[in-house]
Amino acid sequence: MIGFIVNPASGNGRGGRVWKKLEPELKRRSVPYRAAFTECKGDAVAKTEDMLRRYSLDAVVAVGGDGTVHETVNGMERAGSRDRSGRRPPFGYVPAGSGNDYARACGIPRDPAEALDRLLRELASGREPLSADLLRLEGDGAPAAANSYGFGLDAAVAEAVNRSTGKRLLNRLGLGKLVYLFALLRALVSYRPVRASVTVDGGDTRRFEEVWLIVVANNPCFGGGMRICPGADMRDGRATVCVVSGLGRLGLLCLFPLVFAGRHVGLKSVTLLEGREIEIEAPAGMPVQADGESVRLAAGEAVRTIRVAPGAFMTLG
């Protein structure tokens, strides 16, 4: 039996429309399934955990956007990634959001019917699912990340996007990516770069002035297709770190179009690092996001440690 965690509101209602197409196909193929529908932020975490504890599942599948992926994976983390029979079911994804960065990283088709067909074929093949890494931020209650953590401007932009009343309208017009641009332009006016340092695997500490953002990535993309860390691989046991620093607002604005193609790599203002344990020291008020969702850290916390958990879950796709 497959457990589906469906976010009907994702992608301005696309999640609900996608499910209406998937369910008849599941019935046509006589695929046993259970579905749980999210109603508010954080709901997918609880519903995933509950489903794993109540049923013996062949897979847990998120239907929604990257936020749904984020919450479903964290629900699996809370449940120990094991169902009531003690098995460790794999994670699957049918993209139905506006960003779908997890789908890009895994090569999952954007078409829901194709994504479902591929998922069912993989389950029927009997092959062992591939293992995938997770990123874990040290701290009580801090969520894991399937895609990336971001510190600084990108986290401020993510928070603005999630609060945006215009996101729904732009999604309806097929212009959902523009909401990130508008949020970036607004954040550039008020955000102030900071001084920060990064230590990788206990080695030498790198110190940076005028830091705009630090991204610790498990997958190449964030923000709806921006290839911030082109070499990131969720199966290599390592995280890729991208630090953008030492440039003014105009320079930063000129840099962002290059990120969609990964052409920012090699610029003087961009530093890329790799490792299994990343320690970031920055002002306590620096915004933080995990998979595009805002993270609240303990007051006064200035040092953040992120560790890669190799092969923490199994994935279809």
Side-chain angles (χ1 to χ4, degrees):
M1 181 168 65
I2 302 174
F4 288 89
I5 306 297
V6 183
N7 181 353
S10 64
N12 191 34
R14 185 167 183 256
R17 294 191 297 273
V18 164
W19 177 249
K20 287 181 180 179
K21 295 179 180 179
L22 297 184
E23 188 170 32
E25 183 64 14
L26 291 168
K27 291 179 177 178
R28 187 184 71 81
R29 297 191 185 199
S30 300
V31 176
Y33 70 92
R34 292 276 180 175
F37 301 89
T38 66
E39 298 174 2
C40 59
K41 184 178 175 63
D43 216 11
V45 177
K47 289 185 182 297
T48 300
E49 190 175 8
D50 178 67
M51 189 174 284
L52 282 165
R53 288 178 175 171
R54 292 177 63 189
Y55 304 110
S56 297
L57 301 174
D58 296 310
V60 177
V61 179
V63 180
D66 287 306
T68 312
V69 171
H70 172 75
E71 291 192 9
T72 302
V73 168
N74 274 276
M76 295 179 75
E77 279 278 280
R78 284 194 186 184
S81 295
R82 298 183 185 279
D83 63 15
R84 64 178 298 176
S85 69
R87 294 182 305 164
R88 189 184 183 201
F91 171 75
Y93 179 45
V94 176
S98 55
N100 303 315
D101 287 318
Y102 186 86
R104 286 186 180 88
C106 296
I108 296 172
R110 292 290 300 276
D111 179 83
E114 291 181 19
L116 178 65
D117 182 67
R118 171 172 159 171
L119 187 152
L120 294 177
R121 281 191 284 108
E122 286 195 39
L123 284 173
S125 72
R127 293 191 298 267
E128 182 74 11
L130 297 172
S131 62
D133 307 333
L134 271 182
L135 303 178
R136 290 179 178 148
L137 176 62
E138 194 174 83
D140 292 340
N147 286 325
S148 63
Y149 289 107
F151 302 82
L153 179 65
D154 76 300
V157 170
E159 185 169 2
V161 167
N162 292 334
R163 292 199 314 261
S164 173
T165 56
K167 183 177 181 181
R168 182 173 298 178
L169 174 61
L170 289 170
N171 279 337
R172 189 177 301 154
L173 297 173
L175 301 172
K177 288 183 180 179
L178 289 182
V179 72
Y180 292 96
L181 177 59
F182 294 153
L184 170 63
L185 293 175
R186 292 185 63 182
L188 273 175
V189 175
S190 58
Y191 190 81
R192 298 289 182 269
V194 301
R195 178 181 299 168
S197 64
V198 178
T199 306
V200 177
D201 292 340
D204 294 337
T205 297
R206 300 282 300 269
R207 305 185 190 280
F208 301 91
E209 302 290 334
E210 295 183 296
V211 175
W212 286 99
L213 60 89
I214 302 172
V215 176
V216 182
N218 198 29
N219 290 330
C221 297
F222 82 153
M226 290 187 282
R227 296 181 61 79
I228 189 70
C229 295
D233 184 343
M234 67 188 298
R235 309 191 199 282
D236 66 357
R238 299 169 66 83
T240 302
V241 185
C242 178
V243 183
V244 178
S245 63
L247 74 170
R249 283 176 171 75
L250 181 59
L252 185 69
L253 195 58
C254 293
L255 179 145
F256 265 92
L258 303 177
V259 178
F260 281 96
R263 291 171 54 201
H264 62 298
V265 174
L267 296 179
K268 184 179 179 180
S269 56
V270 177
T271 301
L272 291 178
L273 306 166
E274 282 191 354
R276 294 176 173 82
E277 180 177 299
I278 316 299
E279 186 176 280
I280 297 169
E281 185 171 1
M286 195 178 198
V288 182
Q289 60 88 6
D291 296 336
E293 302 297 317
S294 296
V295 176
R296 302 299 177 193
L297 299 180
E301 193 170 351
V303 178
R304 296 92 171 185
T305 301
I306 297 169
R307 294 185 175 88
V308 179
F313 70 111
M314 297 185 296
T315 179
L316 299 167

